């Protein structure tokens, strides 16, 4: 399977598209001023203790206080609070976690008001970004994720990813980590660490430990609410978690991000640095790789599969509902049960893709076409489970119920990706009425004349719908030639597939659009 990462950078955000065999499976958007991202670490102030919820609300500077449940404190919360107090008393420069004496673990069934007090400072990490009307959800069990390892201060446990099946390899990794890990630091060994050398693991561990030392130094002068250290940007996080041998290329349209990615990959996987390419073509990068078209076809209430099967996706406050419809995909030579299993198996692939693409979380209920045979229901369950294996988000799938419903719970740490594909008509501005199409060329010509003669513009470019482009450039005496005779300068004419039929744009020599 070939994986490609296409990155479209604009002035306000960075769009990241992950393709698997040219099919769009993940779409991420990162605002330039994005705050409260998963992994960010803040020094917050406890505003309110809620014994009934066994939780606390923490001020981290967001308009809504962050939610901290007792179970998210971590067993070593007392050690963290003691370490914070020592750091903020001026011992941050000399305090080392390796020489620190840990406190006893708190009880799993304890009460939060026995541990935390109002107005006290606490170091927390964003576990779930603000969604809808809710503030961020946070944890005080700090963890730093690297390429091969996850570092957890105030712990001594070493865990190995369950996806590493070889007992010999698991034991090897445990022995290596035991020999190099700092005291009072727990380690989770990630799947990509399999068969890696101790030098690679040690370099990753040192990088993560430096992040913890940075926090220790900043705590000495920090005042809540304050961001202490941020998670790496979304692009680097995807590369860190997903980069493997199946990655074919990474294409980006911004020179600065291009250099950043090359430098990052040079550190984590030097042999793959040459897969990073800079897009410099005149066609927008998402249009060049067919991503715009896939986005338009993949979002919205109804999603159609090539065979004619379609999904109806509805969202409520509590859950997401997906209904499977066979459409016109019915084979007259087969019975109803055979048709149903074929449609359901095809739909299962698209359902798994939609969950990743939209980043749908919480409870998802899927209404597949009814099947009477238990063997077919089992086959559907296994198919859906296999398709969901590529999903990095934690999830759980229940077998089909007797009503044909499949229930999925999927981890939600960010707001759901929602792309509006229904657009306001630029020709009629929503009125339902447009100017006569016969006047389109006259409008374009009048605007070009005004810009050239009155505004003294040079080297103008005209972008139109492909049909209009064909009309303007057809034959020997094209409009390009006519306008050259009339205005005394050449007008560049380009087509853009995403334009509407009567939509056109005029750009100056610097590539900036001129609004008329």
């Amino acid at each position: 399977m070939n994986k490609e990462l296409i990155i479209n950078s604009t002035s306000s955000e960075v769009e990241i598209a992950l393709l698997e065999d040219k099919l769009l499976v993940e779409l991420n958007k990162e605002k330039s001023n994005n705050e409260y991202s998963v992994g960010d670490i803040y020094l917050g102030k406890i505003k309110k203790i809620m014994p009934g919820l066994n939780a606390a609300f923490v001020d981290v500077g967001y308009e809504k206080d962050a939610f901290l449940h007792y179970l998210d404190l971590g067993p070593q919360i007392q050690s963290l609070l003691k370490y914070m107090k020592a750091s903020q008393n001026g011992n941050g420069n000399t305090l080392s976690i390796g020489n620190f004496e840990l406190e006893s673990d708190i009880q799993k069934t304890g009460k939060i008001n026995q541990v935390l007090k109002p107005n006290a400072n606490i170091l927390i990490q964003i576990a779930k970004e603000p969604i809808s009307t809710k503030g961020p959800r946070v944890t005080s069990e700090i963890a730093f994720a690297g390429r091969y390892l996850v570092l957890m201060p105030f712990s001594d446990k070493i865990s190995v990813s369950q996806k590493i099946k070889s007992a010999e390899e698991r034991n090897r990794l445990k022995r290596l980590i035991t020999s190099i890990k700092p005291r009072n630091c727990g380690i989770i060994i990630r799947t990509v660490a399999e068969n890696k050398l101790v030098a690679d693991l040690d370099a990753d561990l040192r990088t993560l430990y430096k992040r913890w030392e940075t926090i220790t130094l900043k705590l000495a002068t920090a005042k809540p609410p304050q961001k202490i250290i941020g998670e790496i940007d979304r692009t680097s996080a995807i590369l860190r978690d997903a980069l493997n041998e199946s990655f074919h290329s990474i294409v980006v349209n911004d020179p600065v991000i291009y250099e950043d990615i090359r430098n990052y990959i040079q550190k984590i996987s030097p042999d793959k640095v040459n897969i990073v390419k800079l897009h410099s073509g005149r066609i927008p990068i998402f249009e060049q790789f067919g991503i715009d078209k896939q986005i338009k076809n993949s979002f919205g209430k109804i999603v159609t599969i090539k065979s004619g099967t379609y999904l109806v996706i509805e969202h409520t406050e509590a859950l997401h509902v997906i209904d499977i419809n066979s459409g016109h995909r019915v084979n007259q030579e087969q019975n109803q049960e055979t048709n149903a299993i074929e449609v359901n198996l095809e739909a299962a692939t698209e359902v798994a893709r939609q969950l990743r693409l939209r980043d749908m979380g919480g409870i998802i209920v899927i209404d597949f076409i009814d099947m009477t045979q238990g063997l077919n229901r089992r086959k559907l369950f296994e198919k859906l489970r296999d398709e969901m294996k590529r999903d990095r988000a934690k999830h759980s799938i229940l077998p089909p119920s007797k009503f044909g419903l499949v229930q999925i719970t999927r981890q939600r740490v960010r707001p759901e990706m929602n792309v509006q594909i229904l657009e306001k008509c630029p020709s009629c501005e929503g009125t339902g009425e447009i100017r006569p199409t016969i006047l389109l060329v006259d409008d374009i010509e009048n605007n070009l004349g005004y810009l050239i003669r009155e505004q003294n513009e040079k080297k103008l470019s005209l972008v139109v719908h492909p049909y209009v482009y064909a009309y303007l450039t057809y034959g020997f005496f094209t409009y390009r030639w006519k306008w050259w005779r009339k205005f005394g300068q050449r007008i560049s004419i380009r087509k853009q597939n995403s334009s509407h039929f009567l939509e056109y744009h005029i750009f100056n020599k610097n590539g900036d659009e001129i609004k008329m």
Side-chain angles (χ1 to χ4, degrees), residues 373-417:
Q373 297 180 16
L375 179 63
N376 287 336
R377 290 197 292 271
R378 181 69 185 177
K379 190 183 296 184
L380 171 63
F381 174 65
E382 292 177 350
K383 172 69 172 178
L384 187 58
R385 190 172 56 184
D386 289 343
E387 293 291 338
M388 291 288 289
K389 283 181 179 178
R390 293 196 290 269
D391 193 345
R392 297 194 305 274
K394 294 179 182 178
H395 59 270
S396 177
I397 309 172
L398 297 181
S401 69
K402 66 178 181 179
F403 298 115
L405 301 177
V406 173
Q407 299 173 66
I408 299 176
T409 59
R410 186 176 182 274
Q411 182 185 32
R412 176 170 63 177
V413 296
R414 295 180 180 84
E416 178 193 347
M417 177 61 63

Side-chain angles (χ1 to χ4, degrees), residues 76-207:
Q76 275 292 317
I77 178 63
Q78 298 287 16
S79 297
L80 174 64
L81 295 175
K82 178 182 174 183
Y83 192 90
M84 284 178 53
K85 186 176 181 180
S87 295
Q88 294 187 314
N89 285 341
N91 298 327
N93 293 326
T94 59
L95 193 62
S96 170
I97 194 172
N99 301 324
F100 188 74
E101 291 300 323
L102 299 182
E103 299 292 305
S104 301
D105 290 359
I106 61 172
Q107 296 180 356
K108 291 184 178 180
T109 56
K111 299 298 181 182
I112 197 165
N113 54 6
Q114 298 171 345
V115 181
L116 302 180
K117 302 299 179 185
N119 298 317
N121 296 345
I122 185 169
L123 192 70
I124 51 88
Q125 187 170 33
I126 305 295
K128 183 184 291 187
E129 293 178 9
I131 297 175
S132 185
T133 58
K134 300 176 182 177
R137 181 157 184 166
V138 297
T139 175
S140 56
E141 193 169 18
I142 308 298
F144 303 96
R147 173 69 172 154
Y148 306 115
L149 307 171
V150 177
L151 174 71
M152 304 181 70
F154 308 110
S155 172
D156 265 325
K157 294 182 181 178
I158 299 177
S159 305
V160 185
S161 168
Q162 294 182 356
K163 293 182 180 180
I164 300 178
K165 302 299 182 183
S166 169
E168 183 179 349
E169 177 62 12
R170 293 173 67 90
N171 290 331
R172 182 188 78 90
L173 290 170
K174 276 191 174 182
R175 286 197 306 271
L176 290 179
I177 294 303
T178 302
S179 66
I180 62 174
K181 85 173 188 68
R183 184 172 176 266
N184 293 335
C185 288
I187 302 292
I188 299 174
I189 303 172
R190 308 185 72 178
T191 308
V192 289
E194 189 171 11
N195 299 320
K196 295 299 179 184
L197 300 175
V198 64
D200 297 327
L201 303 180
D202 185 57
D204 197 34
L205 181 57
R206 288 175 183 272
T207 301

Side-chain angles (χ1 to χ4, degrees), residues 232-501:
I232 60 176
D233 60 77
R234 191 80 184 110
T235 309
S236 299
I238 290 176
L239 291 175
R240 179 193 66 196
D241 297 338
L243 187 66
N244 54 37
E245 295 303 320
S246 62
F247 255 85
H248 181 258
S249 69
I250 300 170
V251 187
V252 58
N253 66 345
D254 185 277
V256 176
I257 298 179
Y258 168 76
E259 289 297 333
D260 289 345
I261 292 175
R262 280 184 62 90
N263 292 335
Y264 181 73
I265 293 184
Q266 185 69 47
K267 296 177 183 177
I268 68 171
S269 186
D271 57 314
K272 285 204 161 282
V273 72
N274 291 328
I275 69 174
V276 187
K277 302 178 180 68
L278 179 63
H279 175 79
S280 57
R282 299 178 68 180
I283 301 176
I285 187 169
F286 269 19
E287 186 175 336
Q288 174 79 38
F289 288 88
I291 296 171
D292 279 337
K293 185 176 182 181
Q294 290 196 54
I295 290 175
K296 297 294 184 184
N297 188 52
S298 300
F299 286 87
K301 180 179 177 180
I302 298 176
V303 178
T304 304
I305 307 175
K306 285 184 178 179
S307 65
T309 302
Y310 65 93
L311 282 57
V312 180
I313 304 176
E314 296 276 9
H315 308 283
T316 72
E317 186 69 23
L319 50 81
H320 309 275
V321 181
I322 303 177
D323 183 37
I324 311 300
N325 292 274
S326 60
H328 57 73
R329 189 193 187 285
V330 178
N331 191 330
Q332 300 293 341
E333 298 177 358
Q334 297 176 341
N335 58 35
Q336 193 274 338
E337 182 76 9
T338 304
N339 280 322
I341 184 61
E342 288 184 357
V343 169
N344 285 340
L345 290 178
E346 183 183 33
T349 302
E350 182 62 24
V351 166
R353 171 177 171 259
Q354 286 291 325
L355 297 186
R356 293 176 65 189
L357 184 59
R358 302 185 186 215
D359 203 8
M360 294 162 60
I363 301 173
I364 301 108
V365 179
I366 309 160
D367 183 13
F368 286 99
I369 297 174
D370 291 343
M371 297 178 293
T372 57
Q373 297 180 16
L375 179 63
N376 287 336
R377 290 197 292 271
R378 181 69 185 177
K379 190 183 296 184
L380 171 63
F381 174 65
E382 292 177 350
K383 172 69 172 178
L384 187 58
R385 190 172 56 184
D386 289 343
E387 293 291 338
M388 291 288 289
K389 283 181 179 178
R390 293 196 290 269
D391 193 345
R392 297 194 305 274
K394 294 179 182 178
H395 59 270
S396 177
I397 309 172
L398 297 181
S401 69
K402 66 178 181 179
F403 298 115
L405 301 177
V406 173
Q407 299 173 66
I408 299 176
T409 59
R410 186 176 182 274
Q411 182 185 32
R412 176 170 63 177
V413 296
R414 295 180 180 84
E416 178 193 347
M417 177 61 63
N418 186 20
V419 179
Q420 292 295 333
I421 62 172
L422 299 179
E423 302 170 350
K424 185 177 180 179
C425 174
S427 301
C428 70
E429 295 296 334
T431 64
E433 298 176 345
I434 61 173
R435 297 191 64 193
T437 56
I438 197 172
L439 300 179
L440 175 64
V441 176
D442 291 342
D443 281 345
I444 295 174
E445 191 170 299
N446 290 338
N447 286 328
L448 290 175
Y450 169 76
L451 292 172
I452 293 171
R453 291 168 176 162
E454 303 294 331
Q455 301 298 318
N456 200 28
E457 292 283 352
K458 305 291 185 184
K459 297 182 180 180
L460 294 174
S461 298
L462 175 67
V463 178
V464 294
H465 186 275
Y467 286 172
V468 178
Y469 172 84
Y471 175 76
L472 294 175
T473 59
Y474 177 76
F476 181 76
F477 293 105
T478 65
Y479 276 91
R480 185 186 285 123
W481 182 85
K482 294 176 182 177
W483 291 338
W484 178 78
R485 289 283 307 271
K486 186 172 184 177
F487 302 129
Q489 64 173 265
R490 180 182 175 85
I491 307 297
S492 173
I493 305 176
R494 306 198 310 268
K495 56 185 174 182
Q496 181 171 286
N497 293 332
S498 59
S499 294
H500 296 276
F501 184 64

